[in-house]
Amino acid sequence: MIRAVAIDIDGTMTFRNRRLDVAAVEAVRRAEDEGLPVVLSTGNPLCFAEAAATLLGTSGPLIAEDGGVVFDRTSGREHLLGDRVEADRGLAALERAFGALRQTRSSSMRLTGLTLERGITAEQAMDVFRREGLELAAVDSGFAIHIKNPYVNKGDALRKVASLLGIATAEMAAIGDALNDIEMLEVAGLSFAVANSDEAVKKGLHPCHSGALRKGRR
């Protein structure tokens, strides 16, 4: 039985221009009205997730910064699953290679990583990190290049959320659209990719996943 739903925001609940899809809002509120806690899971900083949760009316914990931050709204406690020390070293290495890069406006607020405007590709960033011996991941969310610890992801954050809720991850559903959602989709008991998802997300999940990745509609 599904007892909670984790859902990405950008590209899943929004259109490509980040305008909120009213149908998605209605679905979230219907789930909450039926006693199913909704967990917002986003690559954005925690302040964004908190504002979105207030406006949408969700009650579940919050996952921010691609899983780097989990916020327990019951206790008011922030759980940090990483830090940004290595990410700052990575930025310095990237700027030595490519010159000055533009960080997103939210980057300075982040506690466990940083985000760049899409002036370089994630693949170019990874080439630099490998060459410099830096243990970092670069992920293109479709909106920005996220630089983070490779062990920080929404899947581990979902495990933390499950423990806060006192349920198993098998009792959670997850909905996403982008590469930074894959680990969350693999961990959840039942997973869905919206129709506009990245092709790599649509193709399938890790064989050990017990749920099913399906194309959905917004």
Side-chain angles (χ1 to χ4, degrees):
M1 180 177 70
I2 298 300
R3 299 173 61 187
V5 179
I7 182 168
D8 171 58
I9 299 176
D10 289 335
T12 300
M13 295 189 66
T14 72
F15 298 105
R16 295 301 301 175
N17 61 4
R18 301 189 79 181
R19 179 176 290 179
L20 196 60
D21 188 334
V22 175
V25 176
E26 292 173 349
V28 165
R29 290 182 175 168
R30 188 162 57 249
E32 286 282 350
D33 289 345
E34 294 176 2
L36 198 64
V38 173
V39 176
L40 297 183
S41 179
T42 177
N44 289 289
L46 180 58
C47 59
F48 177 99
E50 287 188 274
T54 299
L55 293 172
L56 293 169
T58 64
S59 63
L62 303 174
I63 296 173
E65 296 190 25
D66 290 324
V69 179
V70 173
F71 182 54
D72 183 354
R73 300 173 73 193
T74 301
S75 67
R77 181 181 175 187
E78 294 180 22
H79 300 268
L80 300 185
L81 306 186
D83 61 52
R84 63 174 288 162
V85 174
E86 191 78 347
D88 286 327
R89 294 193 186 112
L91 175 61
L94 291 174
E95 292 192 324
R96 287 195 297 270
F98 300 108
L101 298 172
R102 290 177 61 88
Q103 296 185 55
T104 67
R105 289 188 63 189
S106 71
S107 190
S108 62
M109 306 174 192
R110 295 172 181 269
L111 302 174
T112 64
L114 57 87
T115 46
L116 303 174
E117 294 187 4
R118 299 170 82 201
I120 62 171
T121 66
E123 291 77 13
Q124 287 175 311
M126 286 303 301
D127 286 342
V128 172
F129 297 156
R130 284 189 287 265
R131 187 167 66 245
E132 297 285 336
L134 295 169
E135 195 171 22
L136 286 168
V139 180
D140 189 338
S141 69
F143 297 91
I145 304 298
H146 293 236
I147 308 300
K148 62 188 183 71
N149 183 304
Y151 304 110
V152 166
N153 60 73
K154 291 184 180 182
D156 285 341
L158 194 68
R159 293 186 179 96
K160 181 65 177 180
V161 166
S163 71
L164 293 174
L165 293 174
I167 63 177
T169 54
E171 297 175 294
M172 300 189 73
I175 308 169
D177 75 305
L179 298 178
N180 60 340
D181 295 317
I182 288 178
E183 291 90 350
M184 177 178 74
L185 296 172
E186 290 178 337
V187 166
L190 185 63
S191 299
F192 300 90
V194 293
N196 56 288
S197 297
D198 188 287
E199 287 303 316
V201 180
K202 290 181 181 180
K203 285 179 181 177
L205 297 175
H206 192 280
C208 72
H209 180 55
S210 60
L213 180 66
R214 301 174 183 171
K215 297 179 184 179
R217 294 190 305 168
R218 283 188 303 171

